[in-house]
Amino acid sequence: MLLSFDSELEKLLQILLFHLKPVEKAYLVGGVVRDIILRQPIHDLDIALDGDVHTFGRKVADTTGAAFFVLNEKFNTARIIFKYSEEIRMNLDIVKLRGKSIEEDLKMRDFTINAMAINLREQYRVIDPFNAVDDLRNHKLIACSEESFKDDPIRVLRALRQSIELGCTIEKKTILHLKEAVPLLDSISSERIRDEFFRLLNGKNVPQAIQVMDHIHAIEIIMPEVIELKESCRGFQNDESSWTFTFKVIKQLSFLDEILLHEKGSPVANNLLGGQIILTLGKFRLNLVEYFRQKLTEERSLRPLFYYLALFSQFVDQNNPFNPGQTRSEKAMHKFTRHSRTLALSNREIKYAIPILQNLDVIYTMRKEEKPLKGSTVYDFFHKTGESGILLCLLSLAESLAFATQMGDTYQFERQLAIVQDLFTGYFEKNGEWVNPPRWLNGNEVGYLLRAEDKTQTGYWLEKLKAASADKKINSKQDAIDFIGANYLTSTE
């Protein structure tokens, strides 16, 4: 088989070969070999080394100016991190060769398509003991052994992800062993569950991933809160469960993802509602693409958190499902706080999520507002939610789409769409006017205008000034002084 390597990878392979001792052997293994065969972009590398992992890794890192870390002393693994920019990096993981040969090592891996190797000294051929090249061509996902899932149950989630990403059908025997291992997910560390679960939520066709996890009963193990959703009635049609409606929201989030969160958009926006969304929000596509490029941790982007939060959005008061009020936010916060700790989410991810869950119904209350929204309304919304408010806009729009498609009533959706348009306009186009308007006076200046006993209200008046500024009621420092003079006296009479 003729293999081709891009110029950057070729350079790196030459550096790896240079530092390889004559008695040592190094092999490209795992997904990188699969991606080379498929001629896909290379993101990360895995090396199986028959030699000294630490010494080899340190020399390569020093030569390239990359960072070097020991990942696991017990299993003799190390990582080199190449940073090409703040946003682009590549990990090279080096692990001690298992067994006496590369063939023995490959037999211990998860799926045949990941059990191929390339000897760095013989880059012209693929070591393929399972005929995995044929499995790739035939789009089959097959476990390397009957014990594969029992040896490492996290492979259950990995199998789902890779079958969706690569368009592979999971072989029948592999499905059987996969299902048998689902209960063993409970024995996997929270961090490993989190990482694989979030990879699923960051991959292709998130609704399909969640649907399959539900079908094999893995979702209840990863997120036990789902059981309550399945047992509760959302109250809209045919005693539909909250979980059924949650899944509809996820599908609509995926629809919005397709048509709004990619630079070129998507042809899926070929129905009436999709067309309305593109006409109304299409001009914000590049803003949204840039917004979603931010990473909340080194390993996890904003996109999987977007879907994860949707799983908590439909916990409602069973006694009042049509008007949940604060109950929905309170229940969502309670469930999220407990589960996010279990999954060991980062503080930044939790901090990003909290304003969304605390304000789940805020946009619905805006339907009573003037059309279009006033600048002060936009200011108040983002004052409560910060930059997380963009995710809340998309989540509320997905819920509204789910209602519209289910109930056949598009009026509320159209009003919701108009509200989101105003909020996006404020955040992306009029940020300095509506979201971060001029304050005109500082705290000391405001305090000077208040009576001594009222100086504790300084923060309140600073916010009133910003809201009034967003409505263009204040356009100068003197306007601000006059505003406090008029309104403060009125409020204290």
Side-chain angles (χ1 to χ4, degrees), residues 156-253:
V156 168
L157 300 184
R158 197 173 299 153
L160 303 184
R161 174 171 59 85
Q162 294 196 351
S163 68
I164 293 170
E165 285 182 354
L166 300 172
C168 290
T169 301
I170 304 177
E171 179 219 25
K172 288 184 179 179
K173 281 178 61 178
T174 299
I175 290 176
L176 177 63
H177 297 308
L178 180 153
K179 288 182 176 179
E180 290 174 347
V182 166
L184 301 178
L185 283 170
D186 206 27
S187 66
I188 299 299
S189 71
S190 298
E191 290 79 8
R192 294 189 72 207
I193 289 286
R194 173 202 64 205
D195 291 346
E196 200 58 58
F197 184 40
F198 269 51
R199 287 189 189 107
L200 270 166
L201 297 182
N202 197 38
K204 293 180 181 178
N205 204 334
V206 176
Q208 182 185 359
I210 293 175
Q211 189 173 39
V212 177
M213 281 193 287
D214 186 24
H215 178 70
I216 64 174
H217 303 293
I219 192 71
E220 296 99 314
I221 295 175
I222 295 169
M223 186 178 162
E225 290 79 2
V226 165
I227 297 172
E228 181 178 331
L229 287 173
K230 289 184 175 183
E231 293 175 349
S232 65
C233 173
R234 193 67 176 91
F236 296 110
Q237 273 188 351
N238 303 322
D239 294 327
E240 179 180 65
S241 74
S242 294
W243 173 243
T244 301
F245 188 75
T246 299
F247 184 71
K248 290 179 179 178
V249 172
I250 293 287
K251 287 181 71 174
Q252 297 302 337
L253 277 182

Side-chain angles (χ1 to χ4, degrees), residues 428-486:
F428 293 121
E429 296 182 346
K430 297 186 177 183
N431 198 287
E433 299 174 51
W434 291 356
V435 179
N436 291 294
R439 189 171 61 183
W440 301 111
L441 299 176
N442 62 36
N444 289 332
E445 291 169 325
V446 170
Y448 180 77
L449 298 172
L450 305 179
R451 298 189 185 101
E453 62 270 23
D454 293 332
K455 291 190 184 296
T456 56
Q457 298 178 22
T458 298
Y460 167 80
W461 286 104
L462 286 171
E463 292 308 317
K464 291 283 286 183
L465 287 177
K466 280 202 166 188
S469 182
D471 282 339
K472 295 297 182 182
K473 293 178 180 178
I474 298 174
N475 296 289
S476 68
K477 189 168 186 175
Q478 187 58 52
D479 285 348
I481 294 171
D482 294 342
F483 177 86
I484 289 183

Side-chain angles (χ1 to χ4, degrees), residues 31-44:
V32 63
V33 181
R34 183 190 68 231
D35 291 339
I36 288 170
I37 293 170
L38 293 174
R39 300 191 177 183
Q40 297 291 325
I42 306 301
H43 300 291
D44 295 309

Side-chain angles (χ1 to χ4, degrees), residues 255-306:
F255 178 66
L256 294 174
D257 188 344
E258 277 292 309
I259 65 176
L260 290 176
L261 305 186
H262 301 275
E263 290 186 39
K264 296 181 180 179
S266 168
V268 300
N270 57 4
N271 58 30
L272 180 61
L273 294 179
Q276 284 183 277
I277 294 168
I278 290 298
L279 283 173
T280 308
L281 303 180
K283 66 177 180 176
F284 301 110
R285 180 182 288 128
L286 294 181
N287 300 113
L288 291 168
V289 169
E290 187 63 30
Y291 174 85
F292 271 84
R293 279 192 179 131
Q294 62 183 306
K295 298 192 76 171
L296 300 183
T297 73
E298 285 285 348
E299 300 293 337
R300 297 185 296 282
S301 68
L302 188 59
R303 185 171 175 267
L305 185 69
F306 177 43

